[in-house]
Amino acid sequence: MRLLAKSHLHLMVVAGIVLALAGCKVGPDYHRPAAPKATRYAPEALPDTTVSAPVQGGEAQRLVTSMGIPDQWWALFRSQPLNALIDDALKHNADIEAAHAALRVAQEMVHAQRSTYLPTVTAGVNPTRQDTPKDLASPLTSGKSLYSLITAQVSISYLPDVWGGNRRQVESLTATANAQRFQLEAAYLSLTSNLVNAAIGEASLRAQIDTTQRIIDLQTQVLDTLKRQYALGDVPETTVAAQVAALEQSRAALPPLQKQLAQQRDLLAALSGRTPDHALDATFTLDRLQLPTDLPVSLPAQLVEQRPDVRTAAEQLHAASADVGVAVANRLPNVQIDANFGRTSVKTRTLFAGGAGFWALRTNVTRPLFDGGALKHKQRAAEAAYQQAAAQYRGAVIAAAQEVADTLHAIQADAETLVAVERAERAAARSLAIARRQLAWGDLSASAVLTTELAWQQTALALVQARAARLTDTVALFQALGGGWWNRRTVTPSNDGKGVRVTKRLAQVPDGS
């Protein structure tokens, strides 16, 4: 009884010390860096409305700072085939599935580390058969040298988180899981942006192919006119040869465009989680993609909350901060409490009867005395990693602001480019029509007509590219602003891997508290 009382007193002293230190967490407490104070993306205020051109896709766009970002921003292009393609891709894209799995891995690691808050309990039964040498005393009261022994016991081991090292580790893993969540958001944003850009690319290529075919048809008509004039002796053979060369040059431009279109279709299939042999139902043309006229613009302080890459960098900084606390805690004394109790008997039926019970209680306090400086340098490495993560976060914020600024400049400049190119194409088309009439009447030389043809050809293709550029600029802005993921209803794989389920938001990451 006296021994038992001393053991209880010993346990109470240890427990009192542990409880007194239980609220301690060494290392820095994380504070997220302050948001940028900038209120615009250029030294001078940018225009809030672009110029317009009298052509499909030439509408003026307004930049609205108070406008929210839609969850399905691609629906603003008003293309049902595009909406359907993206919905299908979100269910089948391999990168999205991999990102979901990576998030679940990170979440489970948080739960696994959190289990260190509790004691470890193990139970076991150990039956043995033993023969004691006859010249040694038997441990049994019966004096038998050959006997069986059955031992059943429960062992409890507990490592109190005296300095908060385990809590810091949970904090680090939670931040890592949060970072993985934002990487999943980035995967969604990258996939949807790439799909819209691929659709715009296909539409642009189809328009370029159509324009090139129109150029070939017109050049063929001019060539027929020159051949008739050559037969009458009105133009030399060199003029006909020059027109033939121009025509063949235009024909040579067609196969590369067709190749790019085929590759673009392959890209759309791959992004939607299909192999290239899968036939896509959707086809895209510029005339069936509407240019959104109202565009959101978030302030830099909002941008750092919306961008998945910036949020990922912030969580990585948080994890690095917690890792410093883990490294500090590893250099301090640790307390471990072990207890075990059980019963032993030579017969199973008497295992839980009589005085066959035993128990033990141990505490162990350890502190590193000499490790060659390993723990000290690991702490310094963790502190340097924290400084690295802080610099990477600042870099991510600056890069995000730069991307938005670049996109805003592109939206304004490409709108002005479309106006200029549309005027040039209209003038070149009118000039070509006049030149063809004069050529038929014999009032204009064939070389002048050829020059006019080339001018129209260049402006016609430039007009197609300028229209596509305005669409891709719009995609770039939504991508640069984060894509509205915080409002998005998402399709996620089910746990059994046999289907999908729709949720209003992504799975929550367990907190580290």
Side-chain angles (χ1 to χ4, degrees), residues 163 328-335 364-371 375:
W163 309 110
V328 173
N330 288 339
R331 301 183 65 187
L332 299 174
N334 285 319
V335 178
N364 187 21
V365 180
T366 60
R367 184 189 188 283
L369 293 180
F370 178 76
D371 61 0
L375 294 177

Side-chain angles (χ1 to χ4, degrees), residues 17-294:
I17 296 174
V18 170
L19 290 174
L21 296 174
C24 175
K25 282 200 296 185
V26 295
D29 291 327
Y30 174 72
H31 299 285
R32 191 172 175 189
K37 297 181 180 180
T39 58
R40 56 192 181 193
Y41 293 97
E44 302 295 335
L46 295 172
D48 57 7
T49 304
T50 68
V51 296
S52 62
V55 66
Q56 173 77 27
E59 298 83 2
Q61 289 181 306
R62 294 191 314 117
L63 302 174
V64 185
T65 55
S66 60
M67 178 180 171
I69 301 177
D71 53 341
Q72 295 184 352
W73 52 268
W74 53 87
L76 296 177
F77 292 92
R78 302 191 182 281
S79 171
Q80 186 56 40
L82 178 60
N83 297 341
L85 180 66
I86 292 179
D87 288 344
D88 183 68
L90 291 175
K91 299 174 186 177
H92 298 99
N93 182 266
D95 292 338
I96 297 298
E97 293 181 9
H100 273 288
L103 175 58
R104 292 196 297 272
V105 169
Q107 290 173 333
E108 294 303 328
M109 293 302 295
V110 174
H111 292 304
Q113 185 62 35
R114 190 178 288 161
S115 67
T116 59
Y117 294 159
L118 303 174
T120 300
V121 181
T122 59
V125 177
N126 181 25
T128 61
R129 181 72 172 169
Q130 185 171 338
D131 185 10
T132 303
K134 297 187 181 299
D135 56 349
L136 297 179
S138 171
L140 302 182
T141 55
S142 63
K144 293 182 178 180
S145 60
L146 180 63
Y147 58 90
S148 297
L149 188 65
I150 302 173
T151 303
Q153 66 176 348
V154 174
S155 299
I156 302 173
S157 179
Y158 181 49
L159 186 65
D161 194 15
V162 177
W163 309 110
N166 287 340
R167 280 169 287 166
R168 289 297 190 195
Q169 187 66 52
V170 171
E171 181 183 351
S172 175
L173 289 172
T174 301
T176 300
N178 280 325
Q180 189 59 54
R181 177 195 171 187
F182 291 119
Q183 289 177 9
L184 172 58
E185 300 290 2
Y188 270 96
L189 180 58
S190 177
L191 173 62
T192 54
S193 300
N194 288 340
L195 277 167
V196 180
N197 279 327
I200 295 171
E202 177 185 328
S204 175
L205 287 167
R206 290 187 184 279
Q208 292 179 60
I209 290 173
D210 291 343
T211 301
T212 301
Q213 189 60 58
R214 288 170 53 203
I215 290 170
I216 292 172
D217 293 342
L218 288 172
Q219 288 180 330
T220 301
Q221 294 173 14
V222 172
L223 178 60
D224 292 341
T225 300
L226 290 176
K227 285 181 177 179
R228 287 195 300 270
Q229 291 182 343
Y230 170 71
L232 297 173
D234 293 338
V235 297
E237 186 178 3
T238 54
T239 300
V240 177
Q243 182 64 25
V244 170
L247 174 59
E248 294 304 326
Q249 186 175 10
S250 298
R251 286 174 174 168
L254 203 53
L257 293 174
Q258 293 169 335
K259 178 192 73 173
Q260 293 177 48
L261 177 59
Q263 292 174 341
Q264 203 74 4
R265 297 292 290 178
D266 293 343
L267 175 60
L268 284 168
L271 290 174
S272 61
R274 309 283 196 252
T275 52
D277 61 305
H278 180 80
L280 297 176
D281 296 331
T283 58
F284 301 99
T285 61
L286 289 179
D287 291 338
R288 297 182 64 184
L289 292 172
Q290 295 189 23
L291 182 73
T293 54
D294 289 342

Side-chain angles (χ1 to χ4, degrees), residues 250-508:
S250 298
R251 286 174 174 168
L254 203 53
L257 293 174
Q258 293 169 335
K259 178 192 73 173
Q260 293 177 48
L261 177 59
Q263 292 174 341
Q264 203 74 4
R265 297 292 290 178
D266 293 343
L267 175 60
L268 284 168
L271 290 174
S272 61
R274 309 283 196 252
T275 52
D277 61 305
H278 180 80
L280 297 176
D281 296 331
T283 58
F284 301 99
T285 61
L286 289 179
D287 291 338
R288 297 182 64 184
L289 292 172
Q290 295 189 23
L291 182 73
T293 54
D294 289 342
L295 300 179
V297 179
S298 303
L299 296 177
Q302 298 172 297
L303 186 66
V304 298
E305 297 292 333
Q306 297 172 182
R307 290 269 300 214
D309 57 339
V310 176
R311 295 295 296 273
T312 297
E315 295 299 338
Q316 290 171 341
L317 177 61
H318 189 174
S321 172
D323 288 341
V324 174
V326 175
V328 173
N330 288 339
R331 301 183 65 187
L332 299 174
N334 285 319
V335 178
Q336 182 168 339
I337 303 173
D338 296 304
N340 65 295
F341 60 91
R343 305 185 70 84
T344 184
S345 176
V346 294
K347 296 180 180 180
T348 304
R349 66 175 179 272
T350 60
L351 183 62
F352 297 100
F358 64 88
W359 63 270
L361 176 65
R362 295 177 296 276
T363 59
N364 187 21
V365 180
T366 60
R367 184 189 188 283
L369 293 180
F370 178 76
D371 61 0
L375 294 177
K376 176 183 69 175
H377 291 295
K378 287 181 180 179
Q379 178 182 339
R380 291 180 179 177
E383 292 167 347
Y386 175 73
Q387 295 171 354
Q388 178 188 15
Q392 290 172 337
Y393 175 79
R394 291 195 300 272
V397 172
I398 293 173
Q402 178 195 355
E403 187 174 339
V404 175
D406 290 347
T407 303
L408 294 176
H409 288 303
I411 287 173
Q412 296 289 343
D414 287 342
E416 295 173 355
T417 299
L418 179 59
V419 170
V421 171
E422 190 277 331
R423 289 174 181 170
E425 192 276 337
R426 194 153 25 98
R430 184 168 178 268
S431 178
L432 178 58
I434 295 173
R436 290 176 63 200
R437 288 197 300 267
Q438 290 179 330
L439 176 64
W441 298 335
D443 295 338
L444 189 67
S445 67
S447 60
V449 175
L450 181 58
T451 301
T452 307
E453 281 181 2
L454 293 176
W456 177 77
Q457 176 181 358
Q458 293 171 355
T459 56
L461 291 174
L463 181 62
V464 171
Q465 294 166 352
R467 290 175 61 190
R470 293 204 69 192
L471 293 169
T472 55
D473 289 343
T474 302
V475 176
L477 179 62
F478 282 111
Q479 186 174 14
L481 294 177
W485 56 267
W486 51 95
N487 296 320
R488 174 171 47 79
R489 292 177 63 88
T490 184
V491 179
T492 59
S494 60
N495 293 332
D496 58 9
K498 297 180 180 179
V500 297
R501 54 190 172 88
V502 179
T503 56
K504 289 186 177 180
R505 56 191 305 183
L506 291 178
Q508 294 299 300

